[in-house]
Amino acid sequence: MYDRLKRAFLGVAVAGLALSLTACGGSDDEDHLPATVVEVAQTNGFNALLAAATKAGLGSALSDPKANLTVFAPTDAAFNALATRLGFADATAMVNALPASALSNILSYHVLATRRSAADLGTAGSSLTTLYQFDGRAATLALSTSGGVNLTDAVLTAAKVSQADVNAGNGVVHVIDKVLVPPGVLNLVQMAQANPAFSTLVGAVKQAGLESTLAGAGPLTVFAPTNEAFAAISSTVAGLSTAQLSKVLTYHVVAGRVLSSDITLGAPVNTVAGQSFVVQGSPLRIVDTTSTAAPIAATDVRASNGVIHVLGKVLIPTL
């Protein structure tokens, strides 16, 4: 059943996908439920989702009366927020610019192959298996039901379910307040842009003229300091020349895709800056030229052209 739904979902153009809350949300009258998710009335206009799904060529599983799907549906505001972070004018510009394959992968990351009501999600454990396949297996979303239903995606940002249990005859829709970002679809720069915690890093990358390099074919590994890490040395960063800033940033970059499982603790890690650092364990941290180690807060954030590991300190090379 899962394979059949997945093939259907990924294979056929959507005739029209829009999600209405007023027509069916919370109704106890089963006779008035739309027959399928696709037939949920268009009165509440999830226009960006509709446009993305249409371009991606998705939908027969959403129209299949034998299906029993769960769809996490981002609002138009959620699509516009992601578009702005990625540098597009709005959601329409983003949908027009992204390839159909990327949109297909992003949207399939919002769909579960079985119906999960809000009550079901409360007992589902800590993760949900989506229809998006990455690295030969189904990608998952981290799930928390403390203080409502919250989903954490591959870029380490959380989406909250703002309205649950919008029912259709072949599934259920939960409205969410952000677009879920899957692994392996956006490039390194876009993945950093999609997480507001890296806005200072993104700004520094652009200032140093490294954006095209980090958005290129790669693969590259980026040890990415958070905004808080940059704030801790803001006066130092402000005094750097462009060449020095470039050296600091490239000291955070390693050629090749280096997952956490590939790192040898205690061995030098050669960087693009031509200098090395050492990763130590328990807990994971990086030793650079300073006396303070950099804690590794998260690992293996997968981009289309590499991988990101999150740092709580900016690494300082010899300048």
Side-chain angles (χ1 to χ4, degrees):
M1 177 66 173
Y2 174 86
D3 288 340
R4 182 177 65 81
L5 287 172
K6 182 178 70 176
R7 287 193 300 269
F9 188 83
L10 296 175
V12 181
V14 67
L17 171 63
L19 306 172
S20 167
L21 309 184
T22 57
C24 59
S27 173
D28 293 325
D29 187 353
E30 295 298 326
D31 292 335
H32 291 86
L33 285 179
T36 71
V37 169
V38 170
E39 294 172 5
V40 174
Q42 299 185 12
T43 56
N44 280 330
F46 280 59
N47 299 314
L49 180 61
L50 169 60
T54 301
K55 179 174 178 178
L58 305 178
S60 70
L62 300 179
S63 301
D64 185 354
K66 297 180 181 178
N68 232 351
L69 305 174
T70 300
V71 177
F72 295 106
T75 62
D76 280 3
F79 271 95
N80 280 320
L82 177 62
T84 300
R85 290 197 184 106
L86 296 183
F88 298 105
D90 53 27
T92 298
M94 179 177 70
V95 170
N96 288 340
L98 291 180
S101 59
L103 293 171
S104 175
N105 290 334
I106 290 169
L107 294 182
S108 61
Y109 192 55
H110 291 72
V111 181
L112 313 181
T114 58
R115 181 194 294 258
R116 296 285 187 94
S117 67
D120 295 331
L121 293 174
T123 59
S126 61
S127 67
L128 298 170
T129 300
T130 74
L131 286 181
Y132 172 56
Q133 295 278 328
F134 178 69
D135 253 5
R137 55 187 171 185
T140 60
L141 294 162
L143 171 67
S144 170
T145 54
S146 176
V149 178
N150 297 279
L151 306 167
T152 300
D153 59 11
V155 79
L156 306 180
T157 56
K160 186 176 184 64
V161 173
S162 57
Q163 181 163 351
D165 296 338
V166 183
N167 288 301
N170 72 335
V172 61
V173 173
H174 304 300
V175 181
I176 56 176
D177 62 359
K178 76 172 291 291
V179 178
L180 302 169
V181 178
V185 175
L186 302 180
N187 65 47
L188 288 163
V189 173
Q190 291 171 327
M191 290 293 274
Q193 289 173 320
N195 188 330
F198 298 123
S199 60
T200 305
L201 173 62
V202 171
V205 165
K206 292 180 178 180
Q207 181 182 340
L210 296 173
E211 184 176 6
S212 61
T213 298
L214 295 180
L220 297 169
T221 298
V222 176
F223 292 84
T226 62
N227 292 347
E228 290 77 9
F230 274 100
I233 61 163
S234 58
S235 59
T236 300
V237 173
L240 296 176
S241 67
T242 300
Q244 288 173 324
L245 178 60
S246 179
K247 178 168 280 190
V248 168
L249 294 176
T250 55
Y251 189 54
H252 293 74
V253 181
V254 176
R257 183 179 286 104
V258 183
L259 300 175
S260 58
S261 58
D262 300 323
I263 296 172
T264 301
L265 298 180
V269 177
N270 296 317
T271 73
V272 173
Q275 299 181 41
S276 64
F277 57 71
V278 173
V279 181
Q280 297 179 344
S282 299
L284 281 176
R285 61 198 184 279
I286 292 176
V287 178
D288 59 6
T289 63
T290 71
S291 59
T292 304
I296 300 178
T299 62
D300 299 338
V301 177
R302 301 292 295 276
S304 61
N305 63 338
V307 61
I308 295 171
H309 306 300
V310 183
L311 295 185
K313 171 185 175 291
V314 178
L315 303 175
I316 303 297
T318 300
L319 296 174

